[in-house]
Amino acid sequence: MDAIVKVVADAFATDDPIEEYVFPDPEIRHRRSRDMLRIMIRHRFLPSGGAAVADLDGKVAGALLWYPAGYRRTLWREAISGPQLLWAMGPRATVRGLAIDAANAEVAPREPHHFLVYLGTDPSLQRTAGVGRALVRWVLAQGSAQQAPVCGICKDANVPYYAAFGFEVQRTVRIGRDGPEMNFTLAQPVPVESV
């Protein structure tokens, strides 16, 4: 899990409006985001089957963290992870994290869907090795196999990246009252051909 935490935290350390909204101070972001990610991976993504990694030369080169189709938060997991997240993030960042969860819930489709939360590639490999592309193609294949759309929110600069995979901007959503405005994108599953 530490390798996933490292690659995702490094990928989102700078130039990410949501991480900067949660942890405005870069030093605090560097310290606290790793603990936050570790708790989210342990209590949300791994138990739900919403974690995949790309391996390159025996090392984690990228990771995709998402809420799979049909994901539901359980009271038990929230009761365990909530206090841990509060401790790891601090009170202000926790409130901002809840605003992100609320924005995701606001835009999420009613039908079963995969909701992408983090797609991170080792910064030294970004835009060169195809790590992120492989992970996105993989989750799109999962969505098509289950006939579930794949969606998520992203900043303006990432819209063309996702558009290349068939994601379309559905609307924008503001995170909290004073947070960034993000694009909600969605890719429909490829229809399964009848035999």
Side-chain angles (χ1 to χ4, degrees), residues 132-184:
R133 289 188 299 274
L135 288 166
V136 173
R137 285 187 192 111
W138 182 85
V139 77
L140 287 170
Q142 301 302 304
S144 291
Q146 298 168 12
Q147 286 299 285
V150 178
C151 59
I153 59 175
C154 70
K155 62 184 179 181
D156 290 344
N158 287 353
V159 168
Y161 178 85
Y162 288 105
F165 296 101
F167 286 83
E168 295 179 358
V169 174
Q170 304 295 302
R171 61 176 279 201
T172 59
V173 63
R174 181 163 303 282
I175 309 296
R177 287 192 318 256
D178 60 348
E181 191 170 77
M182 304 296 286
N183 301 287
F184 171 66

Side-chain angles (χ1 to χ4, degrees), residues 34 57 61 63-64 91 94-95 103 106 129 133 143 149 172:
R34 292 171 192 269
D57 298 327
L64 177 64
T94 299
V95 169
E106 177 185 329
R133 289 188 299 274
T172 59

Side-chain angles (χ1 to χ4, degrees), residues 23 25-36 88:
F23 302 111
D25 183 302
E27 289 182 30
I28 291 173
R29 184 180 324 128
H30 178 74
R31 283 195 329 263
R32 293 192 176 235
S33 68
R34 292 171 192 269
D35 290 336
M36 175 194 73

Side-chain angles (χ1 to χ4, degrees), residues 63-91:
L64 177 64
L65 303 172
W66 77 99
Y67 297 121
Y71 173 80
R72 296 286 179 262
R73 288 188 185 165
T74 65
L75 184 58
W76 171 250
R77 289 220 176 268
E78 291 301 306
I80 293 171
S81 66
Q84 292 179 32
L85 284 168
L86 179 60
W87 175 82
M89 298 170 66

Side-chain angles (χ1 to χ4, degrees), residues 1 3-9 11-12 37 41 50-55 60-66 116-122 131-132 135-136 162:
M1 179 175 10
I4 299 172
V5 169
K6 179 178 180 354
V7 76
V8 173
F12 284 84
L37 282 166
I41 292 166
V53 298
D55 182 275
V60 173
L64 177 64
L65 303 172
W66 77 99
L116 305 182
V117 180
Y118 288 100
L119 171 63
T121 301
D122 180 319
V131 172
L135 288 166
V136 173
Y162 288 105

